[in-house]
Amino acid sequence: PDIELPYGDMTLQVAPGVENRRPQFGHVPLRTNLWNEDHTVLYQPDNWYENLITHGNTSLNPFFYGTYLAESKPNEPITRTKKEAFQADAIGGVHQLTKAHFQKMHTFRLEWQPGPGGRIDWYTKGYSITDKMHKEGDSKGQDWIHAFSIKDESLATLMGSQIPAEPSYLIMNTAISSSWGFPYVRPEGCTQCYDCDNPICACSMQKGFCEMIKSGNVVMSIDHVRLYQSKNSSAHAGGNHTM
């Protein structure tokens, strides 16, 4: 389905990343040759991960496929030499959010099976959106929707990477960036800047964004975070689980 702002992003970032024929920004990965009228190849298929699974009002995220982490610049907090520079991939899905997501508490779920043979699965509750979107579950936010899934074989086959197996942290934060959620195409003559106190920058931001920030009513409320692990090791695909 066509996903519009606002949406929830479900992403796994891995390295090493794809270096050649990467998907183009704003377009889903090209899986077959694109031909010219004279039957010559215009574009070859993109090198990207296969068998990524989406359900409901979820699509692959075409707006961020990763980034090249180049040699560190002077005064950067992280030191990375030219030899240590690398390409990282962002394998993600975007799930349509609705007014209901901003009017009451809602629940997301992540299932993580680490290492070789593992997988990561994102779940959300299904809400009614519009006639253009799929009806998810009971559309009242009660039924779980298996929104996005990445299997270890998808990573291993393309780049030899795997579902992360190292100890990790859960971080709950509000991140604002000019590369997420802001207009990708600005009006002609628009100056690219992101200062809410400068009227010239208004065309670079979504209508109402600065008013929202200045209102002081911007909060992310978390009711609970719950972490579970089965005591039965046979219930775990992939590598060993440690909590």
Side-chain angles (χ1 to χ4, degrees):
D2 294 329
I3 306 299
E4 302 174 348
L5 291 171
Y7 55 72
D9 188 15
M10 307 169 179
T11 300
L12 172 66
Q13 298 195 39
V14 296
V18 174
E19 295 185 355
N20 300 313
R21 299 209 318 269
R22 295 177 59 81
Q24 298 298 305
F25 173 86
H27 300 273
V28 296
L30 183 64
R31 297 299 189 185
T32 60
N33 283 333
L34 189 61
W35 301 88
N36 285 306
E37 292 182 359
D38 60 0
H39 304 294
T40 57
V41 176
L42 177 61
Y43 293 110
Q44 292 180 307
D46 295 325
N47 289 327
W48 202 242
Y49 302 86
E50 300 283 354
N51 301 316
L52 304 176
I53 302 171
T54 61
H55 292 101
N57 298 315
T58 309
S59 173
L60 295 185
N61 185 358
F63 303 116
F64 184 58
Y65 287 113
T67 186
Y68 182 74
L69 297 165
E71 178 183 4
S72 302
K73 296 179 181 179
N75 301 321
E76 284 190 351
I78 297 176
T79 302
R80 185 169 45 250
T81 67
K82 186 175 181 179
K83 188 176 180 180
E84 294 171 329
F86 65 96
Q87 175 70 51
D89 286 341
I91 311 166
V94 287
H95 182 80
Q96 187 69 62
L97 299 182
T98 72
K99 289 184 179 180
H101 286 94
F102 300 92
Q103 295 171 343
K104 60 182 180 180
M105 288 289 183
H106 49 282
T107 307
F108 293 95
R109 183 172 112 223
L110 173 68
E111 294 189 0
W112 172 26
Q113 304 283 352
R119 57 188 292 155
I120 295 183
D121 298 275
W122 285 264
Y123 296 82
T124 183
K125 295 294 185 73
Y127 288 94
S128 177
I129 304 179
T130 67
D131 294 338
K132 296 180 181 179
M133 295 292 179
H134 299 293
K135 179 180 179 181
E136 298 181 323
D138 62 2
S139 70
K140 297 180 180 179
Q142 300 298 315
D143 293 342
W144 283 112
I145 304 300
H146 188 182
F148 186 46
S149 179
I150 302 173
K151 295 183 179 180
D152 176 68
E153 62 189 48
S154 297
L155 309 181
T157 300
L158 185 60
M159 296 302 299
S161 53
Q162 67 175 29
I163 299 296
E166 62 270 27
S168 302
Y169 292 94
L170 290 174
I171 301 176
M172 309 298 162
N173 73 322
T174 301
I176 297 177
S177 169
S178 60
S179 61
W180 302 332
F182 284 75
Y184 298 111
V185 179
R186 294 181 301 278
E188 185 176 352
C190 176
T191 300
Q192 183 178 1
C193 57
Y194 303 99
D195 183 355
C196 283
D197 292 326
N198 185 349
I200 295 177
C201 301
C203 58
S204 289
M205 294 178 278
Q206 298 287 358
K207 183 179 180 180
F209 175 80
C210 290
E211 290 79 359
M212 175 187 69
I213 295 297
K214 292 180 178 181
S215 72
N217 295 324
V218 184
V219 296
M220 179 177 68
S221 300
I222 300 174
D223 181 70
H224 61 266
V225 178
R226 295 171 181 167
L227 185 63
Y228 300 94
Q229 177 175 307
S230 174
K231 295 181 179 180
N232 183 357
S233 59
S234 65
H236 299 216
N240 295 328
H241 287 56
T242 302
M243 185 178 293

